[in-house]
Amino acid sequence: MSDLLERLRGRGWRMTAQRRVVAEVLDGEHVHLTADEVHARAVARLPEISRATVYNTLGELVTLGEVLEVATDQRAKRYDPNAHRPHHHLVCARCGSIRDVHPTGNPLADLPESERFGFMVSNVEVTYRGLCPDCAAA
Amino acid sequence: MSDLLERLRGRGWRMTAQRRVVAEVLDGEHVHLTADEVHARAVARLPEISRATVYNTLGELVTLGEVLEVATDQRAKRYDPNAHRPHHHLVCARCGSIRDVHPTGNPLADLPESERFGFMVSNVEVTYRGLCPDCAAA
DNA sequence: CGCTTGACTTAGACATTGTCCATTGTAGGA
DNA sequence: TCCTACAATGGACAATGTCTAAGTCAAGCG
């Protein structure tokens, strides 16, 4: 946590109360929050923080590579603080809850040259979908 | 094409000019259009068609399994008429263009039981990202 | 320690994408 | 041909995100 703040400061990030709160919220719970959820939690600590600042700060954290943006549903983007270890996602098709998973195998290697259409392929995301235990029981 | 219309009629779909136009647009170009792009092309053939009807019709085609919804970016959903053959997607990180691809390997088998967290996993989507030839050249 | 300055924050307007609803229209069977 | 249930319309509304102009403040400097 203070790790994160130190890293950011070391990169010339100007430290403000707002940015600290956003970083703390992300680092506090290792879940995948939407921008609005981050905002709600930030407001609880710093009532006057604005939506625009939360969006700006999240965008900067993504640019800096400290946080990943994941679009597992077509609703709001979610922000994944676990940016430093490669992983994929397992999403509940009903309630939308997300777990980080680590499949074996290397999907990048599974795309033959003939299927690359001249693209410079740099990245792959794997999203597993299914029902979580709670939703499967219901 | 008329295949599609026949299948739909066979399932009791009431055929209207609007639905026919939407189905034809999707089937005509095998690209991944957004709802708005479908609407624009539909308007070219049937000027009075409304946005709501296009959304409704696309939703019905998805429900019927004739078309896939893909959310490769967090902007608009795209509609994939190639619903009957399993495939994954290769997306240009800059311009958003999409190609269907067929990687080797079976990512579902690559998720060990210990990484399933009790989920009933039923589906996996793989999205490759990179730069298309045009964007890489620019 | 108190300026200065440019980066940061704010509030709210705006944009995009999608959904809903009440009304009007029409496909297809009787 | 007429009826009627299903479909289409258009406009309001909702959710998410972006932009801007003006005010505010962190942090370096004297």
Side-chain angles (χ1 to χ4, degrees), chain B residues 95-115:
Chain B
C95 71
S97 67
I98 304 180
R99 312 279 319 223
D100 289 355
V101 294
H102 304 82
T104 63
N106 177 6
L108 258 184
D110 285 347
L111 191 66
E113 193 57 37
S114 62
E115 287 277 302

Side-chain angles (χ1 to χ4, degrees), chain B:
Chain B
M1 165 65 242
S2 49
D3 280 1
L4 173 54
L5 291 181
E6 282 315 310
R7 276 203 303 280
L8 295 173
R9 194 190 295 271
R11 298 214 223 170
W13 222 45
R14 188 153 135 188
M15 190 52 55
T16 67
Q18 290 84 350
R19 287 176 167 182
R20 185 169 11 248
V21 164
V22 169
E24 284 174 1
V25 164
L26 277 178
D27 203 77
E29 322 172 50
H30 279 164
V31 293
H32 303 69
L33 299 172
T34 64
D36 249 26
E37 289 165 347
V38 172
H39 181 234
R41 286 164 173 70
V43 162
R45 304 189 188 199
L46 190 66
E48 66 276 24
I49 194 171
S50 76
R51 255 170 23 99
T53 296
V54 171
Y55 277 100
N56 288 342
T57 304
L58 288 173
E60 287 156 13
L61 288 170
V62 170
T63 300
L64 292 171
E66 295 292 344
V67 162
L68 289 180
E69 210 171 61
V70 290
T72 50
D73 58 25
Q74 47 289 10
R75 311 274 315 264
K77 295 175 197 166
R78 291 176 177 275
Y79 293 89
D80 184 344
N82 185 14
H84 294 299
R85 208 132 16 87
H87 61 276
H88 297 289
H89 292 107
L90 170 59
V91 181
C92 176
R94 179 182 299 197
C95 71
S97 67
I98 304 180
R99 312 279 319 223
D100 289 355
V101 294
H102 304 82
T104 63
N106 177 6
L108 258 184
D110 285 347
L111 191 66
E113 193 57 37
S114 62
E115 287 277 302
R116 296 193 179 209
F117 302 101
F119 278 55
M120 287 177 43
V121 181
S122 54
N123 176 260
V124 59
E125 292 164 26
V126 181
T127 304
Y128 294 91
R129 293 184 192 281
L131 290 179
C132 72
D134 288 354
C135 289

Side-chain angles (χ1 to χ4, degrees), chain A residues 37-117:
Chain A
E37 289 165 348
V38 173
H39 181 235
R41 284 164 174 69
V43 162
R45 304 189 188 200
L46 188 68
E48 66 276 22
I49 194 170
S50 76
R51 254 169 23 100
T53 296
V54 172
Y55 276 101
N56 288 341
T57 304
L58 289 172
E60 288 156 11
L61 288 169
V62 169
T63 299
L64 291 171
E66 295 292 346
V67 162
L68 289 181
E69 212 172 61
V70 288
T72 50
D73 58 24
Q74 49 287 10
R75 311 275 315 263
K77 296 174 197 168
R78 292 176 176 274
Y79 292 89
D80 182 345
N82 186 14
H84 294 302
R85 207 134 17 86
H87 62 276
H88 296 286
H89 293 108
L90 171 57
V91 181
C92 176
R94 177 180 302 195
C95 72
S97 66
I98 303 180
R99 312 279 321 222
D100 288 355
V101 294
H102 304 82
T104 62
N106 177 7
L108 259 186
D110 285 346
L111 191 65
E113 192 57 36
S114 63
E115 286 278 300
R116 297 193 179 210
F117 302 100

